[in-house]
Amino acid sequence: MEERYSKAETLALRRKHIGPSCKVFFAKDPLKIVRAQGQYMFDEKGEKYLDCINNVAHVGHSHPYVIKAATKQMELLNTNSRFLHDNLVQYAQRLTATLPEKLSVCYFVNSGSEANDLALRLARQYRGYQDVITLENAYHGHVTSLIDISPYKFNQLGKDCKKEYVHVAPSPDIYRGKYREDHPDPASAYAEEVKKIIEETQKNGRKIAAFIAESMQSCGGQVIPPVGYFQKVAEYVRAAGGVFIADEVQVGFGRVGKHFWAFQLQGEDFVPDIVTMGKPIGNGHPMSCVVTTREIAESFGASGLEYFNTFGGNPVSCAIGLAVLDVIEKEDLQGNATRVGNYLLELLAEQKKKHPLVGDIRGVGLFVGVDLVKDQQKRTPATAEALHLIYKLKERQILLSADGPYRNILKFKPPMCFTMEDAKHAVETIDVLLTDS
Amino acid sequence: MEERYSKAETLALRRKHIGPSCKVFFAKDPLKIVRAQGQYMFDEKGEKYLDCINNVAHVGHSHPYVIKAATKQMELLNTNSRFLHDNLVQYAQRLTATLPEKLSVCYFVNSGSEANDLALRLARQYRGYQDVITLENAYHGHVTSLIDISPYKFNQLGKDCKKEYVHVAPSPDIYRGKYREDHPDPASAYAEEVKKIIEETQKNGRKIAAFIAESMQSCGGQVIPPVGYFQKVAEYVRAAGGVFIADEVQVGFGRVGKHFWAFQLQGEDFVPDIVTMGKPIGNGHPMSCVVTTREIAESFGASGLEYFNTFGGNPVSCAIGLAVLDVIEKEDLQGNATRVGNYLLELLAEQKKKHPLVGDIRGVGLFVGVDLVKDQQKRTPATAEALHLIYKLKERQILLSADGPYRNILKFKPPMCFTMEDAKHAVETIDVLLTDS
């Protein structure tokens, strides 16, 4: 018996005991999910849904290898990192081996929000500067310090909600942004905008602690920055004394296929000063990490303030983290992301030719966005149409979501075991629905 | 084979890959722990240590019932709370049933820090006020917003590190504080100090969003506030439009024995507006919770801003939370905390008579502090002596720590399965060491 309450009872108890700010998917008719395996979720009636959205279940829902590692370690020991433990250092070693050499020092924490908050603390301690440059539509987490640097959130709170130490640069979106695919050098043009902000800020006597950006914007609308943008931004930011924080919480761990980290799409000559990780890192287990350079870590240590995180880096989390790295490798999930991602992009490109609602297809590996528009020329966001499509797909047992500032961008970020057949089935269903509508 | 690296290798890898701000216990000769069971930890050589400090392993290290619940749920499903799930609502129901009726709405998060940060967000949204009153020596977490309200941390950063919206009230410590055990009414006297701060703040045109305090101060020095203090503080704070946040991250879940929550020691007439939970909640699994009133939750919801926490309230965390509640009940751990705690206090009281180094014994249930002093009259903190004793105890395979602003207070907060024999053994060993020294 997998169900304790009827769906109506679950919903009623949820309304009574869970904060109303905590929303459910498909609010008009929420899903109750009782089990999941690989890229499939099952509701209380046993109905099977194809999961195109849960990037957290990175190596697949309920992966037996990961569960075994967790159970084995739970039976031995789960305690804090004030005791020496092999899992912590082995995991730190394995994780840093995936990164450029300079990024060698880890801080293990519990969530992407804790990671990004700590990244800001590291950046601010580094030279004592305070200001942060963030991108339009960015979301970096739910704690106070991150709502402050997340226009995706603070813009909803009305005017004057931007703090004076926060500076918002244009999103390097070549489909909807200020400089588009027809611009001769959008990377430089967008980087120049950051430079302007730095100069303006300095004129006002303020100092930049950090530039922070997701290596690809997810909530912001599946935006892939043009190659070379990060290098130029990093140059300007460092010249001003700041550091470059690459937020890989959504997009790291091989999702882009040919690289382990999405920032590596910019080229080998780009190395961030701080990288933050989260969601997929533990296949659903609450854990995350900040990796930085020895220099920045030493400067943080120099304050004398201890950094202690009760659960961060505990032996169970590290065992799970190690198991996730093993599975990515053993099952060649990066290769799969490339193969299936390319196929998905091809299939979607055909849809673009066929349906005027499809304005843009963009993506790399298993991180793909479909920008729906009411008008191909004006690129008017097709918000209502996207929502309608999402509900129709749910009826056909395919889970997809719409995001971006206008909620018009279909967001593919499935578990990494997603197959060619899954891609075909999803796109064929979209085709049918777009043809019918 | 439980060990992958030699202790020296583990230590070297740790120095290379873990931030230097992350400290180890017994820095001069750190412990490598490879397994633990109940109230015992075992090092790489198989040596057994009595654990008097790990309050996170609340129902005992590696508890089989908790592990079974975790494994069973991991095999079925671990996903986010945007899908309906019975574990979430069942756990919310069970948890709120331990609290006064008014406290009925939960937000599940991943750590005490996330919980306290969200509590501040709730408090600030409630009436739009910003200022916070916190206690001397308080520690509420490691994210930016909490370092700001934690004198235990920000005082170490030098002068001018207190933000203008933070106001520090005296710790209601009747042994070392401003009003002591000889004062006729320390509860009122300490509450009056908070009232003065509120009046001062209002004169300066500022508004109080919240008063926050641990129900008993832990890092602050195992301080138990005099009965009636919270009621009076709450009255003054609410009159000013603020809310009362009880931080139960360290001290909740039955540790005090006769009550489930430490704030209940103040009497049935006291109900906080927000309660935050953490550490023991999942017996080491990264999870935590904020519980508040319907009114405050609605006001938070009214901003329209969604609150989404990727890992918070997932089915595995909730299954673990439920299992911990089961074990507390089935094994009568509250009863055990009272019985063993009282016995421990008796044994320590004898030590106080015998050794002039023991200045004060205070505690309730399995939360006990031993204040070491160089001089009984002046109550001069015996910091070096405390550190020496902790190292000597470690040699005798007893894990204890020293905390408080002067690091002179021995802090007992063992797993709740701690026995009479454990208490006797720990105190007898302390006796021998104090007699020898």
Side-chain angles (χ1 to χ4, degrees):
Chain A
M1 177 58 181
E2 285 167 350
E3 249 200 322
R4 187 179 186 92
Y5 309 108
S6 74
K7 188 169 168 180
E9 285 170 324
T10 308
L11 203 50
L13 279 169
R14 180 159 173 139
R15 286 206 186 100
K16 189 170 174 195
H17 289 304
I18 303 297
S21 313
C22 305
K23 308 295 188 194
V24 290
F25 280 128
F26 310 109
K28 280 186 274 181
D29 180 25
L31 264 182
K32 183 166 180 178
I33 295 293
V34 298
R35 65 186 180 90
Q37 206 72 45
Q39 67 277 43
Y40 297 103
M41 302 186 98
F42 300 85
D43 73 9
E44 78 285 6
K45 292 172 194 151
E47 295 291 339
K48 181 176 168 181
Y49 291 81
L50 175 62
D51 180 0
C52 305
I53 51 176
N54 282 302
N55 57 338
V56 173
H58 193 60
V59 301
H61 290 281
S62 316
H63 198 292
Y65 183 87
V66 177
I67 297 170
K68 201 177 159 191
T71 304
K72 200 179 148 198
Q73 186 56 51
M74 280 193 284
E75 284 166 354
L76 278 177
L77 175 70
N78 194 16
T79 194
N80 70 64
S81 65
R82 280 175 176 153
F83 299 100
L84 297 179
H85 198 279
D86 288 347
N87 288 5
L88 177 75
V89 298
Q90 192 197 353
Y91 187 44
Q93 204 176 23
R94 282 278 296 276
L95 206 50
T96 52
T98 66
L99 286 160
E101 208 183 343
K102 228 182 96 185
L103 293 162
S104 63
V105 183
C106 304
Y107 299 84
F108 290 102
V109 298
N110 305 300
S111 68
S113 289
E114 284 195 0
N116 281 331
D117 180 88
L118 179 57
L120 290 184
R121 290 187 60 203
L122 288 163
R124 285 177 170 149
Q125 177 74 25
Y126 185 47
R127 293 199 207 260
Y129 300 166
Q130 290 304 313
D131 287 22
V132 176
I133 303 176
T134 185
L135 292 181
E136 213 180 343
N137 309 321
Y139 176 62
H140 293 291
H142 53 69
V143 299
T144 308
S145 63
L146 301 176
I147 298 287
D148 284 354
I149 62 160
S150 296
Y152 183 79
K153 287 284 175 185
F154 72 66
N155 279 341
Q156 292 179 53
L157 293 170
K159 276 182 191 174
D160 307 323
C161 279
K162 192 178 80 57
K163 299 282 199 302
E164 54 181 7
Y165 59 80
V166 177
H167 312 282
V168 181
S171 169
D173 176 349
I174 60 165
Y175 181 70
R176 296 198 164 277
K178 195 165 173 178
Y179 309 107
R180 298 190 172 179
E181 69 282 2
D182 56 354
H183 188 283
D185 184 4
S188 299
Y190 280 115
E192 204 61 32
E193 295 281 332
V194 176
K195 195 181 175 193
K196 268 191 258 169
I197 288 174
I198 294 171
E199 286 164 357
E200 200 64 33
T201 309
Q202 288 174 329
K203 263 185 224 155
N204 297 327
R206 307 193 63 95
K207 304 236 167 122
I208 302 294
F211 171 90
I212 184 168
E214 285 186 278
S215 300
M216 303 186 296
Q217 277 198 309
S218 48
C219 295
Q222 306 288 92
V223 175
I224 305 168
V227 170
Y229 171 65
F230 281 179
Q231 286 87 329
K232 290 194 173 70
V233 168
E235 186 194 325
Y236 302 147
V237 169
R238 286 173 188 152
V243 303
F244 191 113
I245 303 170
D247 177 342
E248 292 267 344
V249 171
Q250 293 257 15
V251 297
F253 290 89
R255 178 157 294 278
V256 299
K258 61 179 168 175
H259 300 288
F260 201 79
W261 302 106
F263 73 77
Q264 293 170 321
L265 291 168
Q266 293 274 315
E268 278 190 15
D269 56 333
F270 173 66
V271 180
D273 301 296
I274 301 176
V275 176
T276 59
M277 305 163 185
K279 298 188 190 286
I281 188 171
N283 214 45
H285 184 78
M287 57 185 285
S288 63
C289 188
V290 180
V291 186
T292 189
T293 62
R294 171 63 46 194
E295 189 190 354
I296 291 173
E298 296 287 355
S299 116
F300 192 59
S303 78
L305 218 59
E306 179 181 352
Y307 179 79
F308 177 61
N309 189 304
T310 301
F311 306 127
N314 69 66
V316 172
S317 296
C318 292
I320 290 173
L322 283 163
V324 169
L325 294 180
D326 283 347
V327 177
I328 293 172
E329 221 173 282
K330 282 183 191 173
E331 298 185 6
D332 186 26
L333 294 179
Q334 283 186 248
N336 190 63
T338 297
R339 288 185 296 274
V340 178
N342 286 343
Y343 181 57
L344 178 60
L345 287 171
E346 273 170 42
L347 295 174
L348 289 168
E350 287 164 29
Q351 296 300 304
K352 184 171 180 303
K353 284 182 212 155
K354 200 167 161 186
H355 302 288
L357 193 67
V358 180
D360 188 38
I361 304 292
R362 50 187 181 257
V364 52
L366 284 171
F367 180 86
V368 170
V370 181
D371 199 318
L372 299 185
V373 295
K374 288 189 204 177
D375 180 304
Q376 290 273 356
Q377 289 309 308
K378 294 184 193 155
R379 301 182 179 182
T380 327
T383 305
E385 291 79 355
L387 187 68
H388 181 74
L389 184 60
I390 291 301
Y391 270 92
K392 283 286 171 196
L393 281 164
K394 182 205 164 205
E395 283 174 18
R396 301 198 174 219
Q397 293 167 214
I398 293 173
L399 305 179
L400 205 67
S401 69
D403 214 331
Y406 309 102
R407 306 258 171 198
N408 69 312
I409 293 152
L410 306 182
K411 208 163 119 177
F412 282 89
K413 43 167 193 158
M416 296 272 283
C417 51
F418 205 70
T419 66
M420 301 283 197
E421 293 68 38
D422 297 329
K424 193 155 180 270
H425 175 58
V427 178
E428 277 177 0
T429 310
I430 290 173
D431 188 16
V432 169
L433 292 171
L434 291 185
T435 305
D436 287 355
S437 66
Chain B
M1 176 57 180
E2 286 167 352
E3 248 200 323
R4 187 179 186 94
Y5 309 109
S6 73
K7 188 169 169 180
E9 284 169 325
T10 308
L11 201 51
L13 279 170
R14 182 160 170 139
R15 285 205 186 100
K16 188 170 174 195
H17 288 305
I18 303 296
S21 313
C22 306
K23 308 295 187 194
V24 289
F25 279 129
F26 310 108
K28 280 187 277 182
D29 181 24
L31 264 182
K32 183 167 180 178
I33 295 293
V34 297
R35 65 186 179 92
Q37 205 74 44
Q39 66 277 43
Y40 297 103
M41 302 186 98
F42 300 86
D43 72 8
E44 79 285 7
K45 292 172 194 151
E47 296 290 342
K48 182 175 167 181
Y49 291 81
L50 175 62
D51 180 0
C52 305
I53 52 174
N54 281 302
N55 58 337
V56 173
H58 193 60
V59 301
H61 290 282
S62 315
H63 197 293
Y65 183 88
V66 178
I67 296 169
K68 200 177 159 191
T71 305
K72 199 179 148 200
Q73 187 55 53
M74 279 192 285
E75 284 167 354
L76 277 176
L77 175 69
N78 193 16
T79 194
N80 69 65
S81 64
R82 279 174 177 154
F83 300 100
L84 297 179
H85 199 278
D86 288 347
N87 288 6
L88 177 74
V89 298
Q90 192 196 352
Y91 186 44
Q93 204 176 22
R94 283 277 297 276
L95 206 51
T96 52
T98 66
L99 285 159
E101 208 183 342
K102 229 181 94 183
L103 294 162
S104 64
V105 183
C106 304
Y107 300 84
F108 291 101
V109 298
N110 305 301
S111 66
S113 290
E114 284 195 359
N116 281 331
D117 181 87
L118 179 57
L120 291 183
R121 289 187 61 203
L122 288 163
R124 286 177 170 148
Q125 177 74 26
Y126 185 47
R127 294 200 207 262
Y129 301 166
Q130 290 304 312
D131 287 23
V132 176
I133 304 175
T134 185
L135 293 180
E136 211 179 346
N137 308 322
Y139 176 62
H140 294 291
H142 53 67
V143 298
T144 308
S145 63
L146 301 176
I147 298 289
D148 284 354
I149 62 161
S150 296
Y152 184 80
K153 287 286 174 185
F154 72 66
N155 278 342
Q156 291 179 55
L157 293 171
K159 278 183 191 171
D160 308 322
C161 278
K162 191 178 81 56
K163 297 285 198 299
E164 53 180 8
Y165 59 79
V166 177
H167 312 282
V168 181
S171 170
D173 177 349
I174 58 165
Y175 181 70
R176 298 201 161 273
K178 196 164 171 180
Y179 310 108
R180 298 190 173 180
E181 68 281 3
D182 56 355
H183 189 282
D185 184 5
S188 299
Y190 279 115
E192 204 60 33
E193 295 281 334
V194 175
K195 195 180 174 194
K196 268 192 256 168
I197 289 174
I198 294 171
E199 286 165 358
E200 201 64 34
T201 310
Q202 287 174 330
K203 263 186 225 156
N204 297 327
R206 307 192 65 95
K207 304 239 167 115
I208 302 295
F211 170 89
I212 184 169
E214 286 186 277
S215 300
M216 302 186 297
Q217 277 198 308
S218 48
C219 295
Q222 306 288 92
V223 174
I224 304 170
V227 170
Y229 171 65
F230 281 179
Q231 285 87 329
K232 291 193 174 70
V233 168
E235 186 194 325
Y236 302 146
V237 169
R238 286 172 189 152
V243 303
F244 191 113
I245 303 170
D247 177 343
E248 292 268 342
V249 170
Q250 292 256 14
V251 297
F253 290 89
R255 178 158 294 280
V256 300
K258 62 178 167 177
H259 300 289
F260 202 79
W261 302 106
F263 72 77
Q264 293 170 320
L265 291 168
Q266 294 275 315
E268 278 190 15
D269 57 332
F270 174 66
V271 179
D273 301 296
I274 301 174
V275 175
T276 59
M277 305 163 183
K279 299 189 189 285
I281 188 171
N283 214 45
H285 184 79
M287 57 185 285
S288 64
C289 188
V290 180
V291 186
T292 190
T293 63
R294 171 63 47 192
E295 189 190 353
I296 291 174
E298 296 287 354
S299 117
F300 192 59
S303 78
L305 218 59
E306 179 181 351
Y307 180 79
F308 177 62
N309 189 304
T310 301
F311 305 127
N314 69 65
V316 172
S317 297
C318 293
I320 290 172
L322 283 162
V324 169
L325 294 181
D326 283 345
V327 177
I328 293 172
E329 222 173 283
K330 283 184 190 172
E331 299 185 5
D332 185 27
L333 294 179
Q334 282 186 248
N336 190 63
T338 296
R339 287 185 298 273
V340 178
N342 286 342
Y343 181 58
L344 178 61
L345 286 172
E346 274 170 41
L347 295 174
L348 289 168
E350 286 165 29
Q351 296 300 305
K352 184 171 181 304
K353 284 183 212 153
K354 201 167 161 186
H355 302 288
L357 192 68
V358 180
D360 187 38
I361 303 293
R362 50 186 181 257
V364 52
L366 284 171
F367 180 86
V368 170
V370 180
D371 198 318
L372 300 185
V373 295
K374 288 190 201 174
D375 180 303
Q376 291 273 355
Q377 289 308 309
K378 294 184 194 154
R379 302 182 178 181
T380 326
T383 306
E385 291 80 355
L387 187 67
H388 182 72
L389 183 60
I390 291 300
Y391 270 93
K392 283 286 171 195
L393 281 164
K394 181 203 163 208
E395 281 174 20
R396 300 197 174 219
Q397 292 166 217
I398 293 175
L399 304 180
L400 205 66
S401 69
D403 213 331
Y406 309 103
R407 306 258 170 196
N408 68 312
I409 293 151
L410 306 183
K411 207 163 120 179
F412 281 90
K413 43 167 194 161
M416 297 271 283
C417 51
F418 205 70
T419 66
M420 301 284 198
E421 293 68 40
D422 296 330
K424 192 153 180 271
H425 175 58
V427 178
E428 278 177 359
T429 311
I430 290 174
D431 188 17
V432 168
L433 293 171
L434 291 185
T435 306
D436 286 358
S437 66

